[in-house]
Amino acid sequence: MNTKYIDLTNEYDESIFTEIGQELKNGKIVVFKTDTVYGIGTNAFDEDACKRIYEIKGRPMYKPLSILISDISMLKELVDFISPAEQKLIDAFWPGPLTIKFKKRENSLPDIVSAGDEYVRVRLLESGVAYKLIKAASVPIVAPSANLSGSHTGANIKNIVDELGEKVDYILDSGNVNNDTTSTIVEVHNEKVIIIREGKIAKDEIEKVVPLKN
């Protein structure tokens, strides 16, 4: 595959996001910087494109893909119900590096995205390269970290190019990520929070907003 490499560390035309956003919508695979580390992304509604993400990363099919959105209205396409505790988390931490696991709307997404279960993991962004791409694509995008499964999280652009070059359609280089801490992932059960993975948002910050499940 002839991967297109685009350097965003120097001056560039903002129209590039319109072009690549449409490519994302059409199922192309793009590596880009998110609000945490680099992600490898595509249209969350495109089953074949999401399957390619698993294949490229060598990701086990039982591991679900997180979804990035640029607007809260996108969440309403994916879920039917937001509980009071989930709403508190949204109000306190979104936009930001908190991924929330919601019960997904029936027939809203290909089963491959949620690894066949009833839940979807979602994070809202408000700025940056990933945000611009989602806005341009007008669809939610899946974006697991840009690395082969089992290797170091996607923070160093040289490593990313070495691992994923010629496997993806585009690599957007925004320079190295200084802090490779990923997002915190949570689930709400009976109005209490279960922390699935602690990341940029600490457990004690969450506990101030919604009680933790013991």
Side-chain angles (χ1 to χ4, degrees), residues 175-196:
N176 293 335
V177 176
N178 294 324
N179 182 345
D180 66 357
T181 306
T182 53
S183 70
T184 297
I185 303 174
V186 299
E187 177 182 0
V188 173
H189 184 69
N190 292 334
E191 292 303 284
K192 292 188 177 180
V193 171
I194 299 167
I195 296 179
I196 297 170

Side-chain angles (χ1 to χ4, degrees), residues 11-109:
E11 284 189 28
Y12 57 87
D13 189 332
E14 285 284 326
S15 66
I16 194 73
F17 296 113
T18 303
E19 175 193 332
I20 299 175
Q22 283 305 303
E23 292 280 72
L24 266 172
K25 188 173 186 175
N26 293 334
K28 296 297 186 183
I29 310 296
V30 183
V31 169
F32 50 83
K33 187 179 179 299
T34 72
D35 57 332
T36 54
V37 295
Y38 276 85
I40 174 172
T42 195
N43 182 348
F45 297 132
D46 188 324
E47 183 172 6
D48 289 338
C50 292
K51 186 178 180 183
R52 277 187 67 201
I53 297 278
Y54 279 97
E55 290 169 349
I56 290 166
K57 281 178 61 71
R59 184 182 181 88
M61 299 296 286
Y62 61 81
K63 287 190 171 184
L65 300 173
S66 292
I67 292 178
L68 302 182
I69 59 175
S70 61
D71 187 279
I72 201 71
S73 65
M74 285 185 174
L75 182 64
K76 293 167 184 174
E77 295 180 60
L78 306 176
V79 306
D80 280 322
F81 176 75
I82 299 171
S83 74
E86 288 167 346
Q87 189 62 55
K88 286 179 183 177
L89 292 171
I90 288 170
D91 293 342
F93 300 110
W94 277 12
L98 182 73
T99 300
I100 304 174
K101 185 175 173 182
F102 297 94
K103 182 88 175 283
K104 72 176 182 181
R105 173 176 285 186
E106 192 173 351
N107 300 321
S108 62
L109 289 162

